[in-house]
Coordinates of all heavy atoms in Angstrom, one line a residue:
T103 N -27.5 137.7 10.1 CA -27.0 136.3 9.8 C -28.1 135.5 9.1 O -27.9 134.8 8.2 CB -26.6 135.7 11.1 OG1 -25.6 136.5 11.7 CG2 -26.0 134.3 10.9
V104 N -29.3 135.6 9.7 CA -30.4 134.8 9.1 C -30.6 135.2 7.6 O -30.9 134.4 6.7 CB -31.7 135.0 9.9 CG1 -32.9 134.4 9.2 CG2 -31.5 134.5 11.3
L105 N -30.6 136.5 7.3 CA -30.8 137.0 6.0 C -29.7 136.5 5.1 O -30.0 136.0 3.9 CB -30.7 138.6 6.0 CG -30.8 139.2 4.6 CD1 -32.1 138.9 3.9 CD2 -30.6 140.7 4.7
M106 N -28.5 136.5 5.5 CA -27.4 135.9 4.7 C -27.6 134.5 4.4 O -27.4 134.0 3.3 CB -26.0 136.1 5.4 CG -25.6 137.6 5.3 SD -25.2 138.2 3.7 CE -23.9 137.1 3.2
L107 N -28.0 133.7 5.4 CA -28.3 132.3 5.2 C -29.4 132.0 4.2 O -29.3 131.1 3.4 CB -28.6 131.6 6.5 CG -27.4 131.5 7.5 CD1 -27.9 131.0 8.8 CD2 -26.4 130.5 6.9
L108 N -30.4 132.9 4.2 CA -31.5 132.7 3.2 C -31.0 133.1 1.8 O -31.5 132.5 0.8 CB -32.7 133.7 3.6 CG -33.4 133.3 4.9 CD1 -34.4 134.4 5.2 CD2 -34.1 131.9 4.7
L109 N -30.1 134.0 1.7 CA -29.6 134.4 0.4 C -28.6 133.4 -0.2 O -28.4 133.4 -1.4 CB -28.9 135.7 0.5 CG -29.8 136.9 0.8 CD1 -29.0 138.2 1.0 CD2 -30.8 137.2 -0.4
V110 N -28.1 132.5 0.6 CA -27.0 131.6 0.0 C -27.4 130.2 0.2 O -26.6 129.4 0.7 CB -25.7 131.9 0.7 CG1 -25.2 133.3 0.3 CG2 -25.8 131.8 2.3
A111 N -28.6 129.8 -0.2 CA -29.0 128.4 -0.1 C -28.0 127.5 -0.9 O -27.7 127.9 -2.0 CB -30.4 128.2 -0.6
P112 N -27.6 126.4 -0.4 CA -26.5 125.6 -1.0 C -27.1 124.9 -2.3 O -28.2 124.5 -2.4 CB -26.1 124.6 0.0 CG -27.3 124.5 0.9 CD -27.9 125.8 0.9
T113 N -26.2 124.8 -3.3 CA -26.4 124.0 -4.5 C -25.2 123.0 -4.6 O -24.2 123.2 -4.0 CB -26.5 124.8 -5.7 OG1 -25.3 125.6 -5.9 CG2 -27.6 125.8 -5.7
F114 N -25.4 122.0 -5.4 CA -24.4 120.9 -5.5 C -24.0 120.8 -7.0 O -24.7 121.0 -7.9 CB -24.9 119.6 -5.0 CG -25.4 119.7 -3.6 CD1 -26.7 119.7 -3.3 CD2 -24.4 119.7 -2.6 CE1 -27.1 119.8 -1.9 CE2 -24.8 119.8 -1.2 CZ -26.1 119.8 -0.9
A115 N -22.7 120.3 -7.2 CA -22.2 120.1 -8.5 C -23.0 119.1 -9.2 O -23.5 118.1 -8.6 CB -20.7 119.8 -8.5
A116 N -23.1 119.2 -10.6 CA -23.9 118.3 -11.4 C -23.3 116.9 -11.3 O -24.0 115.9 -11.5 CB -24.0 118.8 -12.8
T117 N -22.0 116.7 -11.1 CA -21.4 115.4 -11.1 C -21.3 114.8 -9.8 O -20.6 113.8 -9.6 CB -20.0 115.5 -11.7 OG1 -19.2 116.5 -11.0 CG2 -20.1 115.9 -13.2
S118 N -22.0 115.4 -8.8 CA -21.9 114.8 -7.4 C -23.2 114.9 -6.7 O -24.2 115.5 -7.2 CB -20.8 115.5 -6.6 OG -21.2 116.9 -6.4
L119 N -23.3 114.1 -5.6 CA -24.6 114.1 -4.9 C -24.2 114.1 -3.4 O -23.3 113.5 -3.0 CB -25.3 112.7 -5.2 CG -26.4 112.3 -4.3 CD1 -27.6 113.2 -4.5 CD2 -26.8 110.9 -4.6
E120 N -25.0 114.9 -2.7 CA -24.9 114.9 -1.2 C -26.2 115.1 -0.6 O -27.0 116.0 -1.0 CB -23.9 116.1 -0.8 CG -23.6 116.1 0.6 CD -22.4 117.0 1.0 OE1 -21.9 117.6 0.1 OE2 -22.0 116.9 2.1
D121 N -26.6 114.2 0.3 CA -27.9 114.2 0.9 C -27.9 113.6 2.3 O -27.5 112.5 2.5 CB -28.9 113.4 0.1 CG -30.3 113.8 0.3 OD1 -30.6 114.3 1.4 OD2 -31.2 113.6 -0.6
D122 N -28.2 114.4 3.3 CA -28.3 113.9 4.7 C -29.8 113.8 5.1 O -30.1 113.5 6.3 CB -27.5 114.8 5.7 CG -28.0 116.2 5.8 OD1 -29.0 116.5 5.1 OD2 -27.4 117.0 6.5
F123 N -30.7 114.1 4.2 CA -32.2 113.9 4.4 C -32.8 114.9 5.4 O -34.0 114.8 5.7 CB -32.5 112.5 4.8 CG -32.0 111.4 3.9 CD1 -31.0 110.6 4.3 CD2 -32.5 111.3 2.6 CE1 -30.5 109.6 3.4 CE2 -32.0 110.4 1.7 CZ -31.0 109.5 2.1
D124 N -32.0 115.8 6.0 CA -32.5 116.6 7.1 C -33.5 117.7 6.6 O -34.3 118.2 7.3 CB -31.3 117.3 7.8 CG -30.5 116.4 8.7 OD1 -31.0 115.3 8.9 OD2 -29.5 116.8 9.2
G125 N -33.5 117.9 5.3 CA -34.4 118.9 4.7 C -35.7 118.3 4.2 O -36.6 119.0 3.7
E126 N -35.8 117.0 4.4 CA -37.1 116.3 3.9 C -38.2 116.6 4.9 O -38.1 116.6 6.1 CB -36.8 114.8 3.8 CG -35.7 114.5 2.8 CD -36.1 114.7 1.3 OE1 -37.2 115.0 1.1 OE2 -35.2 114.7 0.5
N127 N -39.4 116.7 4.3 CA -40.7 116.7 5.1 C -40.7 117.7 6.3 O -41.2 117.4 7.3 CB -41.0 115.3 5.7 CG -42.4 115.1 6.1 OD1 -43.3 115.5 5.4 ND2 -42.6 114.4 7.2
G128 N -40.1 118.9 6.0 CA -40.0 119.9 7.0 C -39.2 119.5 8.2 O -39.4 120.1 9.3
G129 N -38.3 118.6 8.1 CA -37.5 118.1 9.2 C -38.1 117.2 10.2 O -37.6 116.9 11.3
V130 N -39.2 116.6 9.8 CA -40.0 115.7 10.6 C -40.1 114.3 10.0 O -40.4 114.1 8.8 CB -41.4 116.2 10.9 CG1 -42.2 115.2 11.8 CG2 -41.3 117.6 11.6
G131 N -39.8 113.2 10.8 CA -39.9 111.9 10.3 C -41.3 111.4 10.0 O -42.2 112.0 10.6
T132 N -41.4 110.4 9.2 CA -42.7 109.9 8.8 C -42.6 108.5 8.2 O -41.5 108.2 7.7 CB -43.5 110.9 7.9 OG1 -44.8 110.4 7.7 CG2 -42.8 110.9 6.5
S133 N -43.7 107.8 8.2 CA -43.6 106.5 7.6 C -43.9 106.5 6.1 O -44.5 107.5 5.6 CB -44.7 105.6 8.2 OG -46.0 106.1 8.0
N134 N -43.4 105.5 5.4 CA -43.6 105.3 3.9 C -43.5 106.6 3.1 O -44.4 107.0 2.4 CB -45.0 104.7 3.8 CG -45.2 103.4 4.5 OD1 -44.3 102.7 4.7 ND2 -46.4 103.3 5.1
Y135 N -42.3 107.2 3.3 CA -42.1 108.5 2.6 C -41.6 108.4 1.2 O -40.8 107.5 0.9 CB -41.1 109.3 3.5 CG -40.8 110.7 3.0 CD1 -41.8 111.7 3.1 CD2 -39.6 111.0 2.4 CE1 -41.5 113.0 2.7 CE2 -39.3 112.3 2.0 CZ -40.3 113.3 2.1 OH -40.1 114.6 1.7
E136 N -42.1 109.2 0.3 CA -41.7 109.1 -1.1 C -41.3 110.5 -1.7 O -40.9 110.5 -2.9 CB -42.9 108.6 -1.9 CG -43.3 107.2 -1.6 CD -44.4 106.6 -2.5 OE1 -45.0 107.5 -3.2 OE2 -44.6 105.4 -2.5
G137 N -41.3 111.5 -0.9 CA -41.0 112.8 -1.5 C -39.6 113.3 -1.5 O -39.3 114.5 -1.3
F138 N -38.6 112.4 -1.6 CA -37.2 112.7 -1.5 C -36.8 113.7 -2.7 O -37.3 113.5 -3.8 CB -36.4 111.4 -1.6 CG -36.5 110.6 -0.4 CD1 -37.3 109.4 -0.5 CD2 -35.9 110.8 0.8 CE1 -37.5 108.6 0.6 CE2 -36.0 110.0 1.9 CZ -36.9 108.9 1.8
A139 N -35.9 114.5 -2.4 CA -35.4 115.5 -3.3 C -34.5 114.9 -4.4 O -34.5 115.2 -5.5 CB -34.6 116.6 -2.6
N140 N -33.7 113.9 -4.0 CA -32.7 113.3 -4.8 C -32.9 111.8 -5.2 O -32.1 111.3 -6.0 CB -31.3 113.5 -4.2 CG -30.9 114.9 -4.0 OD1 -30.9 115.7 -5.0 ND2 -30.5 115.3 -2.8
F141 N -33.9 111.2 -4.6 CA -34.1 109.8 -4.8 C -35.5 109.4 -5.1 O -36.4 110.1 -4.7 CB -33.7 109.0 -3.6 CG -32.2 109.0 -3.3 CD1 -31.6 110.0 -2.5 CD2 -31.3 108.0 -3.8 CE1 -30.3 110.0 -2.2 CE2 -30.0 108.0 -3.5 CZ -29.5 109.1 -2.7
D142 N -35.7 108.4 -5.9 CA -37.0 107.8 -6.1 C -37.1 106.5 -5.3 O -36.1 105.8 -5.1 CB -37.2 107.5 -7.6 CG -37.4 108.7 -8.5 OD1 -38.0 109.7 -8.0 OD2 -36.8 108.7 -9.6
V143 N -38.3 106.2 -4.8 CA -38.6 105.0 -4.1 C -39.3 104.0 -5.0 O -40.2 104.3 -5.7 CB -39.5 105.3 -2.9 CG1 -39.7 104.0 -2.1 CG2 -38.9 106.3 -2.0
A144 N -38.8 102.7 -4.9 CA -39.3 101.7 -5.8 C -39.3 100.4 -5.0 O -38.7 100.2 -3.9 CB -38.5 101.5 -7.1
D145 N -40.1 99.4 -5.5 CA -40.1 98.0 -5.0 C -40.6 97.9 -3.5 O -40.2 97.0 -2.8 CB -38.7 97.4 -5.1 CG -38.2 97.3 -6.5 OD1 -39.1 97.1 -7.4 OD2 -37.0 97.4 -6.7
G146 N -41.4 98.9 -3.1 CA -41.9 98.8 -1.7 C -41.9 100.2 -1.1 O -42.2 101.2 -1.8
A147 N -41.6 100.3 0.2 CA -41.6 101.6 0.9 C -40.4 101.7 1.9 O -39.8 100.7 2.3 CB -42.9 101.6 1.8
V148 N -40.1 103.0 2.2 CA -39.1 103.3 3.1 C -39.6 104.3 4.1 O -40.6 105.0 3.8 CB -37.8 103.9 2.4 CG1 -37.3 102.9 1.4 CG2 -38.1 105.2 1.8
D149 N -39.0 104.4 5.3 CA -39.4 105.3 6.3 C -38.4 106.4 6.4 O -37.2 106.2 6.4 CB -39.6 104.6 7.7 CG -40.8 103.7 7.7 OD1 -41.7 103.9 6.9 OD2 -40.9 102.9 8.7
L150 N -38.9 107.6 6.6 CA -38.0 108.8 7.0 C -38.0 108.9 8.5 O -39.0 109.3 9.1 CB -38.6 110.1 6.4 CG -37.8 111.3 6.5 CD1 -36.4 111.2 5.8 CD2 -38.5 112.5 6.0
T151 N -36.9 108.4 9.1 CA -36.8 108.2 10.5 C -36.0 109.3 11.2 O -35.1 109.9 10.6 CB -36.2 106.8 10.8 OG1 -36.9 105.8 10.0 CG2 -36.3 106.4 12.3
G152 N -36.4 109.6 12.4 CA -35.7 110.6 13.2 C -36.6 111.4 14.1 O -37.5 110.8 14.7
P153 N -36.4 112.7 14.2 CA -37.2 113.4 15.2 C -38.7 113.2 14.9 O -39.2 113.3 13.8 CB -36.8 114.9 14.8 CG -35.4 114.8 14.4 CD -35.3 113.5 13.6
N154 N -39.4 112.9 16.0 CA -40.9 112.7 16.0 C -41.3 111.4 15.3 O -42.5 111.2 15.2 CB -41.6 113.9 15.3 CG -41.4 115.2 16.0 OD1 -41.4 115.2 17.2 ND2 -41.2 116.2 15.2
F155 N -40.4 110.5 14.9 CA -40.8 109.2 14.4 C -39.7 108.2 14.6 O -38.7 108.1 13.8 CB -41.1 109.4 12.9 CG -41.7 108.1 12.3 CD1 -43.0 107.8 12.5 CD2 -40.9 107.3 11.6 CE1 -43.6 106.6 12.0 CE2 -41.4 106.1 11.0 CZ -42.8 105.8 11.2
F156 N -39.8 107.4 15.6 CA -38.9 106.3 15.9 C -37.4 106.7 15.7 O -36.6 106.1 15.0 CB -39.2 105.1 14.9 CG -40.4 104.4 15.3 CD1 -41.6 104.7 14.5 CD2 -40.5 103.5 16.3 CE1 -42.8 104.0 14.8 CE2 -41.7 102.8 16.6 CZ -42.8 103.1 15.9
D157 N -37.0 107.7 16.5 CA -35.6 108.2 16.4 C -34.8 107.3 17.3 O -34.5 107.6 18.5 CB -35.6 109.7 16.9 CG -34.3 110.3 16.6 OD1 -33.4 109.6 16.0 OD2 -34.1 111.5 17.0
L158 N -34.3 106.2 16.7 CA -33.6 105.2 17.5 C -32.2 105.6 17.8 O -31.5 105.1 18.7 CB -33.6 103.9 16.7 CG -34.9 103.3 16.3 CD1 -34.8 102.0 15.5 CD2 -35.8 103.1 17.6
Y159 N -31.6 106.5 17.0 CA -30.3 107.0 17.2 C -30.3 108.6 17.2 O -29.9 109.2 16.2 CB -29.3 106.5 16.2 CG -29.3 105.0 16.1 CD1 -29.9 104.2 15.2 CD2 -28.6 104.3 17.1 CE1 -29.9 102.8 15.2 CE2 -28.5 102.9 17.1 CZ -29.2 102.2 16.1 OH -29.2 100.8 16.1
P160 N -30.7 109.2 18.4 CA -30.9 110.6 18.4 C -29.6 111.3 18.1 O -28.5 110.8 18.4 CB -31.3 110.9 19.9 CG -32.0 109.6 20.3 CD -31.2 108.5 19.6
G161 N -29.7 112.5 17.6 CA -28.5 113.4 17.3 C -28.0 113.2 15.9 O -27.0 113.8 15.5
N162 N -28.7 112.4 15.1 CA -28.3 112.2 13.7 C -29.3 112.9 12.7 O -29.2 112.6 11.5 CB -28.2 110.7 13.4 CG -27.1 110.1 14.1 OD1 -25.9 110.2 13.7 ND2 -27.4 109.3 15.1
G163 N -30.2 113.7 13.2 CA -31.1 114.3 12.3 C -32.1 113.3 11.7 O -32.4 112.3 12.3
L164 N -32.5 113.5 10.4 CA -33.3 112.5 9.7 C -32.5 111.5 9.0 O -31.4 111.8 8.5 CB -34.2 113.2 8.7 CG -35.4 114.1 9.3 CD1 -36.1 114.9 8.2 CD2 -36.3 113.2 10.1

Side-chain angles (χ1 to χ4, degrees):
T103 304
V104 173
L105 174 62
M106 286 295 295
L107 287 172
L108 291 175
L109 291 174
V110 292
T113 59
F114 301 103
T117 55
S118 64
L119 168 70
E120 186 163 7
D121 200 338
D122 61 5
F123 306 112
D124 288 349
E126 302 289 350
N127 198 42
V130 178
T132 186
S133 64
N134 305 325
Y135 184 70
E136 295 184 348
F138 293 100
N140 296 308
F141 292 89
D142 291 322
V143 180
D145 300 328
V148 303
D149 288 345
L150 185 64
T151 309
N154 299 320
F155 187 79
F156 289 98
D157 194 359
L158 303 181
Y159 300 103
N162 291 285
L164 291 173

